[in-house]
Amino acid sequence: MHDNPQNQAPYGYAQPYPQTVIVQKKGGGCLKALLIGAAVLVVLVVVAVLVGGGDSGSGVGSTSASAPQRETSQEDPAKTAGVGDLVKDGKFSFKVTKMEKGLSKVGQGFAASKAQGQYVMIHLTVTNIGDEAQMFTDSAQKLIDDKGREYDADSGAAILLDDSNAFLTNINPGNTVKGFVLFDVPKNTKLTAIQLHDSVFSGGVTVNLS
């Protein structure tokens, strides 16, 4: 006997719809979970970027602003030479040996010169350390007070004195000349330094007088 085809479904036709429904339910759940996870991840990334960017920006700003200030404040100023120290500028080396101040006049008789304020005499030794002759002149030298004011040398009064060697003295290589530079400055002026130059065009070197 053969079964009635109308009463018996062929194999494989009995479960198509439940299987299809189950697959659709699983697929929909995974897709929803993936969308939720992606949204959460995007939110976390945005929050992390905003928070991290603010922190790093403020951190970098504070570091870049403070580090140079610390370096600048911790730098030691260059030590300035004093009386008796050997200094160099261009073709000359200098050594300031003494400072005299409070002189009301220099010279004798008709050759005497009276100071407007007071004469200050800077004694020094000048050596030519170059390979050719160089002219030393007092007009290139500057005296400085505690307010930063600069004073020119009084060449007219200096030439009245013997052995000043300050006005247009030519010094050959290897030779040394001793002399002084004369300045006329106000009384009670606090002098702090002298700038010595091998010429009016040189950078100069500072010697502390205080």
Side-chain angles (χ1 to χ4, degrees):
M1 292 179 64
H2 295 282
D3 294 334
N4 188 349
Q6 295 178 355
N7 298 328
Q8 181 178 355
Y11 181 77
Y13 284 82
Q15 301 295 331
Y17 298 110
Q19 291 177 354
T20 303
V21 171
I22 292 172
V23 170
Q24 289 178 351
K25 288 182 179 180
K26 289 183 178 180
C30 293
L31 179 61
K32 184 182 294 184
L34 289 175
L35 291 176
I36 295 173
V40 172
L41 181 61
V42 169
V43 172
L44 292 177
V45 170
V46 171
V47 172
V49 169
L50 292 177
V51 175
D55 292 342
S56 62
S58 61
V60 171
S62 60
T63 301
S64 61
S66 59
Q69 292 177 357
R70 288 197 299 269
E71 291 175 1
T72 302
S73 63
Q74 292 176 356
E75 289 180 353
D76 294 329
K79 181 181 178 180
T80 304
V83 176
D85 293 331
L86 188 68
V87 295
K88 299 178 181 179
D89 180 66
K91 296 183 176 68
F92 286 154
S93 68
F94 303 93
K95 181 186 290 186
V96 176
T97 58
K98 185 172 60 173
M99 176 176 67
E100 292 184 70
K101 57 184 180 179
L103 305 175
S104 59
K105 68 176 183 179
V106 294
Q108 299 294 330
F110 295 105
S113 177
K114 187 176 181 180
Q116 296 174 350
Q118 64 168 330
Y119 280 123
V120 175
M121 191 178 297
I122 307 296
H123 295 259
L124 71 165
T125 301
V126 184
T127 301
N128 187 335
I129 57 175
D131 55 4
E132 60 184 11
Q134 179 77 2
M135 187 74 69
F136 175 73
T137 176
D138 56 358
S139 61
Q141 320 312 320
K142 303 293 181 182
L143 195 61
I144 304 171
D145 67 9
D146 60 341
K147 297 180 181 179
R149 296 178 295 187
E150 296 184 354
Y151 300 93
D152 291 335
D154 190 340
S155 302
I159 59 176
L160 301 175
L161 303 175
D162 296 334
D163 301 326
S164 67
N165 289 323
F167 181 72
L168 301 179
T169 300
N170 200 46
I171 306 175
N172 280 318
N175 283 348
T176 298
V177 170
K178 294 182 179 181
F180 55 84
V181 182
L182 194 67
F183 298 89
D184 189 347
V185 302
K187 294 179 179 179
N188 301 320
T189 300
K190 185 177 180 181
L191 302 170
T192 58
I194 183 172
Q195 283 186 355
L196 300 170
H197 301 258
D198 84 330
S199 72
V200 294
F201 305 106
S202 71
V205 61
T206 301
V207 176
N208 193 352
L209 299 174
S210 58

